Amino acid sequence: MAGPASGKVVYEQEGVFIHSSSGNNDQDSLLSGILRVIEKETEVIVDWRPVDESLDSSNILYARKDSSSVVEWAHTPKEKTPRGPEHMNSYEAEWDMVSTVSFKKKPHSNGDATVHTNGESKWSFLFSLTDLKSIKRNKEGMGWSYLVFCLKDDVVLPALHFHHGDSSLLIHSLKKYVVLCESPHDRRILVNCQSISQSFENLLDEPTYGLMQKLKKDPYTATMGGFSKVTNFIFDSLRGSDSAAQQRPPSEMADLISDAILGLKINQQEEPGFEVITRIDLGKRPEVHRRQPVSVEEWIKNMDSEGRILNADSVKQTIFKGGLCHALRKEVWKFLLGYFSWNSTREERANVQKRKIDEYFRMKLQWKSVSEEQEKRNYRLRDYRSLIEKDVNRTDRTNKFYEGQDNPGLILLHDILMTYCMYDFDLGYVQGMSDLLSPILYVMENEVDAFWCFALYMDQMHQNFEEQMQGMKTQLIQLSTLLRLLDSEFCSYLESQDSGYLYFCFRWLLIRFKREFSFQDILRLWEVMWTELPCQNFHLLICCAILESEKQQIMEKHYGFNEILKHINELSMKMNVEEVLCKADAISIQMMNCKELPQGVCEVLGLENSAVTTPDSDNGDDEIAGGISHATSAYPRLSMPLAAVSHGMKESAEQEAPTAATD
């Protein structure tokens, strides 16, 4: 058979038999096959199939995980099987067929299945190393060697007997991609050590050999998959099978991580363009209280007879201080995200919606009308669809709006994300975007409104998902600047533990805390942030508030690199959003009241120039991106958004301002 063009065969062994349990002594009880290990771009596959090249591909068994992470067996539907003889003899064709068809859940018993065709039993299976749990070896002195693969959820594959070679070569090949450790209870069993560390849901979608490659190529997927969840696993991944690397100290491992995101260098005082921030007295931090959510009555009182909002600034401040009652979110979020203008009338808003309905369905028709033949020649659309289908099936499935099979909410998630690919084909779909859409669709309960609100939110978040990661780099640098001003001692401690790059905040910033707070708390948090009060980049002050709350435990217990990652991850779903917002608000007021605020901090928060320039903040660079000042009674020192904090990153300033859609 020809090797697959889409994957590299790194191991191949003929004469690997399955001993069927028929009980007969004839030839049919020994099934000879070829075992391969195939390295693809994002995963490694173990594949066994009979020598008989005329095998009907509809008999292939595919070990896969469904949306609830349960490994299942399923037969390839016969109607999906290409009939051409050339295709049947093509390993690549069989591979593509197995990888792309939809599978329905089938009953299984220990992964054991037999298909009878013309009186013969024909077997085949393949699985990803990400699903490998353990390997059981034969006892010594039992003749030819055999291996039994056990997958997650205790699915056991048929034993593979190596009649024409030693199984140790296969083990050696697999160790390049996974860390296999002898079980303390049975030396014959090799346990996938990464599998133990992958106790977090959806930790990684590819084997450990690709972690660093994946981080370099697609840091969003790597992060969403679990980069911020990693403890010992991250070191195993970075070390790989290199025995010398096992001795690398954490500091060297941290350097490897920092190299993965090129151009991200923070907390390096010798780096050109960075300020040295000395200890500054920020003054007493005020005590802040939050109010009740804005009620329907309050909202109506702020409208004139034609539906215009009378005092948008006052309304935004009220929302910032208390959020919205749920009954208002469907309407008010459209204003906060820019779908509706604050001074528009009801009639004008109705006309906007009519135009947007037409525009949306024209874009939706573009991908809906693509035929299977067309899609075969459009790899980007195929990739987008595949990733969307994968992510939709695991987005907020515990929420009643999305739970269960064939849920209409899931269909809408899928359709909106596919349509967004038509709206912004250059960006398309990146993992994490489903997290941003889910709460919006939940609130809007309308496909078209949800799409346009999501598109406007993506205008704000666009740089987070771009290939060059400029938005993420800038935000991590800005966060470091703010945190150093608030608590230089804590910053120094993090640096001493090789955590100064603040990678553990990556997921917070990428999807705006979506996986850190409960679903209802995220609704409150997002609407508060969408007011764009009390300053620019308020979400960074939220990060500071959380980190400040955890400082004592981290420092008193002398947490190192691993423990910090683990601790930050375990904060998920355990934080009180109102307390965090109170602390972040208090920090913002404390900073705005400081008369010696460093220039770099002023730029991060979009504040007017500090009244007194500190010696360390005056670096001779007078080029500051300007803006149109505006004032409110509550926050008199606010200005329009300025450039990025790092003087060394001025070239990104033009890209920083999100484009607000107005209609």
Side-chain angles (χ1 to χ4, degrees):
M1 291 184 187
S6 58
K8 175 184 177 183
V9 177
V10 296
Y11 170 89
E12 184 174 78
Q13 177 66 53
E14 296 182 357
V16 180
F17 285 73
I18 288 179
H19 293 194
S20 69
S21 56
S22 62
N24 299 326
N25 293 324
D26 57 18
Q27 188 66 24
D28 285 344
S29 64
L30 296 178
L31 304 176
S32 176
I34 299 176
L35 182 65
R36 293 182 177 91
V37 177
I38 304 166
E39 181 180 304
K40 293 177 72 70
E41 184 177 359
T42 59
E43 64 179 345
V44 174
I45 297 293
V46 176
D47 175 285
W48 183 92
R49 59 189 61 214
V51 173
D52 181 5
E53 295 188 8
S54 64
L55 172 69
D56 182 353
S57 58
S58 66
N59 294 337
I60 292 178
L61 299 173
Y62 186 57
R64 66 185 290 273
K65 290 188 292 184
D66 64 11
S67 59
S68 59
S69 298
V70 177
V71 176
E72 63 186 40
W73 284 101
H75 291 291
T76 305
K78 289 187 178 181
E79 62 270 15
K80 295 285 187 177
T81 304
R83 298 301 181 188
E86 294 180 0
H87 189 96
M88 289 304 302
N89 291 327
S90 166
Y91 188 94
E92 179 185 1
E94 292 179 352
W95 181 276
D96 290 342
M97 178 277 302
V98 171
S99 300
T100 57
V101 297
S102 300
F103 293 89
K104 294 183 179 179
K105 187 171 291 187
K106 299 286 185 178
H108 62 266
S109 176
N110 292 333
D112 207 299
T114 305
V115 178
H116 296 280
T117 307
N118 299 327
E120 295 181 342
S121 298
K122 295 181 178 181
W123 302 60
S124 184
F125 66 78
L126 59 87
F127 64 90
S128 171
L129 281 185
T130 56
D131 294 325
L132 177 64
K133 180 179 180 182
S134 63
I135 303 173
K136 185 175 182 179
R137 298 174 289 186
N138 59 289
K139 292 181 179 179
E140 294 183 3
M142 286 189 62
W144 54 66
S145 61
Y146 70 82
L147 297 175
V148 178
F149 292 100
C150 179
L151 307 183
K152 294 176 183 177
D153 298 309
D154 297 322
V155 173
V156 180
L157 300 180
L160 297 179
H161 297 258
F162 291 74
H163 289 202
H164 298 167
D166 190 351
S167 62
S168 62
L169 293 177
L170 172 63
I171 298 297
H172 178 75
S173 176
L174 296 181
K175 283 184 176 180
K176 297 177 182 177
Y177 309 108
V178 292
V179 178
L180 299 174
C181 313
E182 283 190 356
S183 168
H185 308 293
D186 188 342
R187 294 185 60 187
R188 292 191 301 152
I189 297 178
L190 297 175
V191 180
N192 182 355
C193 297
Q194 276 96 337
S195 180
I196 296 174
S197 298
Q198 288 174 318
S199 58
F200 306 106
E201 181 183 4
N202 300 325
L203 179 60
L204 283 176
D205 293 326
E206 67 275 348
T208 57
Y209 87 98
L211 177 60
M212 292 312 299
Q213 292 92 324
K214 189 67 174 179
L215 188 60
K216 292 177 181 179
K217 179 180 178 182
D218 188 358
Y220 313 108
T221 304
T223 303
M224 293 301 301
F227 187 77
S228 61
K229 300 177 179 181
V230 177
T231 55
N232 290 321
F233 171 76
I234 195 168
F235 287 108
D236 292 336
S237 303
L238 293 169
R239 290 171 181 144
S241 58
D242 182 1
S243 58
Q246 300 281 352
Q247 307 303 318
R248 289 180 178 175
S251 59
E252 190 174 341
M253 303 309 294
D255 290 338
L256 287 176
I257 298 173
S258 66
D259 290 340
I261 303 183
L262 300 177
L264 178 56
K265 298 290 184 182
I266 61 178
N267 299 330
Q268 304 294 320
Q269 295 183 354
E270 67 274 13
E271 190 77 11
F274 285 86
E275 300 180 71
V276 179
I277 298 176
T278 56
R279 189 179 297 274
I280 294 175
D281 182 10
L282 292 174
K284 184 179 179 181
R285 183 175 299 174
E287 186 175 344
V288 173
H289 301 283
R290 292 184 57 74
R291 54 153 285 167
Q292 291 297 312
V294 177
S295 66
V296 175
E297 291 75 19
E298 286 180 280
W299 175 253
I300 294 175
K301 286 180 181 179
N302 276 282
M303 278 189 179
D304 66 14
S305 59
E306 293 184 324
R308 296 183 185 87
I309 307 302
L310 296 174
N311 190 333
D313 288 341
S314 175
V315 171
K316 289 179 187 178
Q317 287 195 33
T318 309
I319 296 171
F320 173 76
K321 286 294 185 181
L324 297 161
C325 69
H326 190 70
L328 281 175
R329 284 179 172 139
K330 186 180 297 186
E331 180 177 4
V332 181
W333 278 22
K334 298 185 182 88
F335 289 90
L336 291 171
L337 287 166
Y339 186 36
F340 291 156
S341 170
W342 289 94
N343 62 356
S344 62
T345 65
R346 293 188 187 91
E347 183 180 357
E348 289 169 342
R349 294 195 288 271
N351 290 333
V352 166
Q353 284 184 298
K354 288 179 182 178
R355 293 197 302 271
K356 293 299 185 182
I357 288 172
D358 292 340
E359 190 174 347
Y360 173 77
F361 283 106
R362 281 198 301 270
M363 290 187 293
K364 184 174 182 178
L365 184 62
Q366 290 174 5
W367 66 267
K368 278 282 192 180
S369 60
V370 174
S371 67
E372 290 186 12
E373 288 298 317
Q374 286 177 296
E375 191 164 319
K376 287 178 182 178
R377 294 185 291 272
N378 191 331
Y379 77 93
R380 292 186 67 184
L381 184 60
R382 290 197 309 271
D383 289 347
Y384 290 155
R385 186 192 296 273
S386 175
L387 189 54
I388 288 170
E389 290 174 352
K390 180 180 179 181
D391 281 1
V392 162
N393 282 325
R394 58 186 183 184
T395 299
D396 292 322
R397 296 306 301 275
T398 58
N399 187 303
K400 289 185 177 180
F401 193 80
Y402 298 111
E403 70 181 2
Q405 298 298 321
D406 301 321
N407 187 303
L410 297 180
I411 297 172
L412 290 179
L413 269 180
H414 172 273
D415 287 2
I416 292 171
L417 291 171
M418 284 296 298
T419 305
Y420 185 81
C421 292
M422 301 295 105
Y423 175 79
D424 187 346
F425 207 85
D426 287 339
L427 180 64
Y429 179 79
V430 181
Q431 190 176 14
M433 287 164 58
S434 63
D435 280 285
L436 298 183
L437 171 60
S438 171
I440 294 174
L441 178 59
Y442 170 84
V443 167
M444 294 299 156
E445 298 179 306
N446 176 284
E447 181 178 2
V448 176
D449 289 344
F451 170 83
W452 289 112
C453 287
F454 169 69
L456 288 161
Y457 194 20
M458 280 301 301
D459 285 347
Q460 302 176 29
M461 304 292 289
H462 201 281
Q463 281 197 327
N464 283 15
F465 297 95
E466 291 172 0
E467 186 176 359
Q468 298 303 316
M469 297 191 308
Q470 193 59 57
M472 295 304 299
K473 294 174 187 176
T474 301
Q475 288 175 87
L476 287 170
I477 292 170
Q478 291 172 331
L479 176 57
S480 176
T481 300
L482 295 175
L483 191 61
R484 182 168 296 281
L485 174 67
L486 282 172
D487 199 327
S488 60
E489 179 189 15
F490 187 36
C491 270
S492 297
Y493 178 82
L494 292 175
E495 289 173 5
S496 72
Q497 303 303 318
D498 305 297
S499 300
Y501 291 104
L502 306 179
Y503 284 122
F504 45 80
C505 299
F506 197 106
R507 189 178 67 185
W508 297 0
L509 301 173
L510 181 67
I511 53 172
R512 289 295 191 271
F513 310 99
K514 169 61 169 57
R515 298 192 183 183
E516 317 313 319
F517 293 93
S518 70
F519 196 87
Q520 292 300 319
D521 282 353
I522 280 297
L523 305 184
R524 171 77 72 244
L525 183 66
W526 283 6
E527 64 199 14
V528 167
M529 291 192 297
W530 289 339
T531 65
E532 299 181 345
L533 294 174
C535 59
Q536 180 179 288
N537 287 318
F538 182 65
H539 67 287
L540 299 180
L541 295 183
I542 292 174
C543 294
C544 289
I546 297 171
L547 293 174
E548 188 180 81
S549 298
E550 303 307 314
K551 168 193 170 181
Q552 183 175 358
Q553 181 171 344
I554 289 172
M555 293 186 66
E556 286 187 355
K557 294 189 177 181
H558 305 290
Y559 283 167
F561 184 84
N562 277 9
E563 292 82 6
I564 292 171
L565 285 172
K566 183 174 185 292
H567 178 73
I568 295 299
N569 173 71
E570 291 176 347
L571 294 176
S572 178
M573 304 300 161
K574 297 178 182 177
M575 295 181 286
N576 184 304
V577 72
E578 297 294 338
E579 291 178 1
V580 170
L581 285 171
C582 277
K583 177 170 282 192
D585 190 10
I587 291 173
S588 71
I589 296 173
Q590 183 184 25
M591 286 189 172
M592 285 186 280
N593 288 337
C594 177
K595 295 181 179 180
E596 299 182 348
L597 210 59
Q599 187 60 47
V601 175
C602 290
E603 292 180 4
V604 173
L605 300 181
L607 305 178
E608 293 179 0
N609 295 351
S610 179
V612 178
T613 303
T614 61
D616 289 323
S617 67
D618 185 5
N619 58 6
D621 187 353
D622 294 326
E623 294 184 17
I624 300 170
I628 301 173
S629 298
H630 68 88
T632 66
S633 58
Y635 305 104
R637 300 176 62 199
L638 291 178
S639 68
M640 291 295 285
L642 301 178
V645 56
S646 170
H647 300 308
M649 299 184 68
K650 282 190 169 65
E651 67 274 9
S652 68
E654 294 180 0
Q655 304 173 22
E656 279 294 297
T659 56
T662 57
D663 211 323

